[in-house]
Amino acid sequence: AGLQLKISRLEQDLAHERDRCELLETKMHSAQDDALSSREHDKAEIMELRKRLTQADQENRQFMAQVEQEREDEKRSMAQRMDQLSQKMMRETNDFADAQRSKLQRLEEELAASEQRITNQ
């Protein structure tokens, strides 16, 4: 009877340990499922952040290209204005020089005519 009692107790302890093992397994599976779910959520969040980063990088590159294009357009425009001003100044300088030459020629002709009159007197 004492041996039967020990066997009965050992069977109860074994059943209790089995229940504890099953509970721990259930908890472990639940924790694994939670971790997997959390990892999937983290992966999705990382993918979304990468997508947004890529989009922001693309927008930044487009903006920088636009700024560079505007800078180049402004340089070309300024070069054209400088060229136009330079041509205008050259024309005005040439016109002024032509007018001065004409004036000088007229004065030389008047001087020659005056000298001729003096000589003829």
Side-chain angles (χ1 to χ4, degrees), residues 67-81:
V67 167
E68 187 60 32
Q69 182 62 47
E70 288 173 4
R71 191 177 293 147
E72 290 299 318
D73 291 348
E74 186 63 26
K75 280 183 188 178
R76 261 192 303 284
S77 177
M78 285 180 69
Q80 286 175 340
R81 285 193 300 252

Side-chain angles (χ1 to χ4, degrees), residues 19-82:
D19 290 345
R20 274 188 33 172
C21 278
E22 285 178 12
L23 183 63
L24 286 175
E25 277 184 15
T26 303
K27 284 184 179 180
M28 182 183 74
H29 289 306
S30 177
Q32 286 175 339
D33 290 346
D34 289 349
L36 186 62
S37 175
S38 177
R39 197 171 340 154
E40 291 300 318
H41 175 73
D42 290 348
K43 281 182 185 178
E45 192 173 341
I46 288 170
M47 287 177 63
E48 178 62 26
L49 289 172
R50 281 186 180 150
K51 186 172 111 179
R52 287 174 38 201
L53 178 64
T54 300
Q55 184 178 358
D57 185 51
Q58 185 178 10
E59 289 170 1
N60 187 44
R61 288 176 193 269
Q62 288 172 345
F63 176 75
M64 292 305 287
Q66 181 180 349
V67 167
E68 187 60 32
Q69 182 62 47
E70 288 173 4
R71 191 177 293 147
E72 290 299 318
D73 291 348
E74 186 63 26
K75 280 183 188 178
R76 261 192 303 284
S77 177
M78 285 180 69
Q80 286 175 340
R81 285 193 300 252
M82 291 295 289

Side-chain angles (χ1 to χ4, degrees), residues 106-121:
R106 200 171 56 252
L107 289 173
E108 287 173 346
E109 289 170 358
E110 288 177 18
L111 178 63
S114 293
E115 288 174 345
Q116 187 64 41
R117 279 194 307 272
I118 292 173
T119 305
N120 290 340
Q121 286 179 349

